[in-house]
Structures are given as structure tokens and as C-alpha cells.
Amino acid sequence: MAPASGPVVTVNVAATRVGTEALGPGVRSALWVQGCPFDCAGCMSADWIPFREARRATPGELAAELLADPRVTGLTFSGGEPMEQAAGLAEVARLAREIRDVSLICFTGHRLTALRARPPSPGVHDLLAAVDVLIDGRYVAALDDGRGLRGSSNQRIHHLTGRLAGSGYDFGDRPRSAEIAVTGREALLIGVPPAGLLAAFDTAVDSVRGRTSPGRELDNDER
Ligand code: SF4
């Protein structure tokens, strides 16, 4: 992939997590973007749906941040909707791979065929070219079977490269796991949670201070 030309594209970041084992094989870093054109009922990232300014960062800053932990062997992009910020994320992937040859998993509410036929933002083809595993389709609560690294069974696992196909990681049917990270006054639920965990997480956070999203505030302050 060629380096981006012209003005530096920034990424509107909802959250990051350096070093997690809940979003794919091995130790990975996750980047969630702010803004999604969909409004799936039961979305666990509801606070990250609005297209509002969150944290702006350059791809270079994000690549360095996400790979700060030397154990990290992969990146996972989620949101929000990564394909709305595809150019910036493709550049994050390119720059990260200049540091370390990381694998890349990406979630999207779009179908792969639609992305290829009608890319919703510049850079979609570049991002798809960088992705090893794409998990596509909108979340449908009625089809949430509690299995795999996808929210519901209508979502599909696309191995766009063979890189993670032989990893032994069963994307579609593995038992779910999640992590809860508390940093300062924010609690972050990482991963595709097993049944009941999201509600329990919300109840626990609400008992401290009520805000709801995977990045929950534990006090009154707004981000
Ligand atoms: S596509 Fe994902 S982030 Fe967007 S509303 Fe649906 S579940 Fe939420």
C-alpha cells in the first residue's frame, strides 16, 4: 500500500486499549473509532454511535501508541464504524507494520460485498487490503447466540488473507471472553461479552456512577 499523500488524515478515536487477549488471537491492541451510521438495537457501543468529535490523533501517533507494548502481535479495529474512517485506519495499519508485522482484525457493520461495490469513505479499498480478518454485518440481538468473536450469528468471518486462518482461533464458534479495564475514572469493557455480562457491567458501573457505553465514566465528569 502506498503512503498517504496530501494532508495528514486524523482519526476520531473513541478509545484504545494496548494489550488485550479478548479481541482475537494473541496479545493485541484495540482501536475503537467514534461514529457509526447504523443504530443496531442492543449495540454495546451506543455512546460511540454519534458522529461527534472525540479524541483526534494522527495515524503515526496511534501506531506508536498501539505498539507500545512489545507483546502486541496484532491490532483490532472496531467502533463505531471503522469503514467511516478507512483512510486514517489504513494508514495506522501501514505505519504499525513499519514498526512490527502485526496482524489486523476489523469489525464493520457493512457487508464485504457492499464495501467493495460502494465504499462508504475514501480508503476502504486500502483498509481492506490491510485486513487479515474482517467481521462484517450489523448486530442483530435476536441472533446473538453467545458464541464467537462476533455479536450475532448473521455476522460473517472473512479471512481476507490466510494469516490467521491457521491460528487455531475459532472466530465463529469459540466461547466468548471479555476483559474489564479500569483506568482513572473510566471503566472499559473489552471483547464480545458472554450473555449477561454487559448488563452486569452496566449495573456495576451504574452503582458507582451512571453512564453507559463500553467506555463508561465512573463519576460525573464528561469526557
Ligand atoms: S454497526 Fe456496530 S457500532 Fe454500529 S450500531 Fe451496529 S453494533 Fe453498534
Side-chain angles (χ1 to χ4, degrees):
M1 190 189 315
S5 58
V8 174
V9 176
T10 58
V11 180
N12 192 17
V13 179
T16 59
R17 178 66 181 176
V18 177
T20 175
E21 297 182 34
L23 280 169
V27 178
R28 318 186 65 80
S29 286
L31 192 168
W32 296 270
V33 297
Q34 181 71 43
C36 178
F38 306 113
D39 189 14
C40 307
C43 170
M44 67 174 286
S45 312
D47 274 5
W48 297 345
I49 293 174
F51 285 95
R52 61 172 173 78
E53 283 299 305
R55 170 195 164 204
R56 283 277 168 193
T58 67
E61 291 167 342
L62 289 167
E65 175 182 330
L66 296 170
L67 270 61
D69 184 338
R71 299 174 305 150
V72 169
T73 59
L75 302 180
T76 300
F77 294 161
S78 187
E81 175 49 62
M83 293 299 164
E84 294 292 321
Q85 302 191 53
L89 293 180
E91 188 66 356
V92 173
R94 188 186 70 80
L95 293 172
R97 284 172 170 161
E98 287 187 351
I99 301 170
R100 199 175 308 147
D101 186 23
V102 288
S103 65
L104 178 57
I105 298 168
C106 185
F107 289 83
T108 177
H110 297 276
R111 286 299 190 193
L112 175 59
T113 49
L115 286 173
R116 286 177 166 152
R118 298 177 300 281
S121 76
V124 166
H125 293 299
D126 286 342
L127 181 54
L128 288 176
V131 169
D132 296 298
V133 175
L134 186 81
I135 302 169
D136 79 347
R138 295 175 59 175
Y139 174 68
V140 179
L143 299 177
D144 186 344
D145 58 1
R147 307 290 300 178
L149 191 71
R150 79 284 187 278
S152 50
S153 61
N154 60 299
Q155 295 173 317
R156 300 184 195 128
I157 312 297
H158 300 273
H159 285 274
L160 301 184
T161 73
R163 179 166 181 165
L164 295 177
S167 66
Y169 188 94
D170 189 343
F171 285 82
D173 197 42
R174 70 188 309 277
R176 288 194 185 159
S177 63
E179 299 169 3
I180 294 173
V182 178
T183 305
R185 61 177 189 270
E186 185 174 82
L188 188 66
L189 179 61
I190 305 159
V192 182
L197 181 60
L198 183 59
F201 176 71
D202 283 339
T203 299
V205 171
D206 287 350
S207 72
V208 179
R209 189 73 249 177
R211 281 296 304 261
T212 52
S213 85
R216 269 73 162 172
E217 293 287 338
L218 297 176
D219 63 18
N220 265 331
D221 295 343
E222 293 293 331
R223 273 179 283 185

